[in-house]
Amino acid sequence: MRTTWKLLWQTALLTAIFWGCDQITRLTGIPIPGNVLGIIVLFFLLLTGIIKESHISLAAEFLLRHLVFFFVPIAVGLMQWGSVFYDYGWVLAAAIVGSTALPLVIVGFMAKVLRRAPRKQENMDKEEAPCRS
């Protein structure tokens, strides 16, 4: 019973942060979604120690464990777009595969280039060492 109350309290705390930040964005007209502002505020609250990680850990674990249920309405909504997927399926598939593969290739290439850079500097330092004395 105590765990249930703790879970409810932590969920209420996270909800209050989200709701408050959502209201701030609506009232001020800031071009940032309320949930994004809520994450930023929660980050700074955790960073400053105003809210401890233990104050939200149980609710956060619960929400992350059941995250897939939050996407069910999106999946149901996509069912109404069947004709679009039928007409443009190959284009959408290529866009998904390309947008997944391209960052992996770029990051791999950059990691390879950056990994070689220090070695060249070390070799230059070794070659120049006898001339320094």
Side-chain angles (χ1 to χ4, degrees), residues 1-8 58:
M1 187 67 163
R2 181 178 173 150
T3 306
T4 304
W5 284 110
K6 188 175 181 180
L7 177 66
L8 289 173
L58 188 64

Side-chain angles (χ1 to χ4, degrees), residues 14-117:
L14 290 173
T15 303
I17 292 171
F18 162 74
W19 184 81
C21 290
D22 191 48
Q23 292 301 315
I24 289 171
T25 58
R26 288 176 193 229
L27 294 173
T28 60
I30 299 172
I32 299 175
N35 54 355
V36 174
L37 183 62
I39 289 173
I40 293 168
V41 168
L42 180 61
F43 173 73
F44 282 112
L45 290 173
L46 287 167
L47 193 65
T48 58
I50 295 171
I51 293 180
K52 305 269 190 267
E53 186 260 337
S54 61
H55 294 158
I56 59 167
S57 62
L58 188 64
E61 288 175 16
F62 177 80
L63 292 171
L64 287 173
R65 193 175 326 124
H66 297 93
L67 188 64
V68 72
F69 295 120
F70 297 118
F71 293 104
V72 170
I74 296 171
V76 171
L78 288 176
M79 290 180 186
Q80 296 174 352
W81 290 64
S83 63
V84 173
F85 291 120
Y86 182 75
D87 294 339
Y88 301 103
W90 289 107
V91 175
L92 292 170
I96 291 170
V97 170
S99 65
T100 302
L102 188 62
L104 290 174
V105 170
I106 290 172
V107 168
F109 176 74
M110 289 188 66
K112 188 176 182 180
V113 168
L114 292 173
R115 188 170 180 198
R116 288 184 182 173

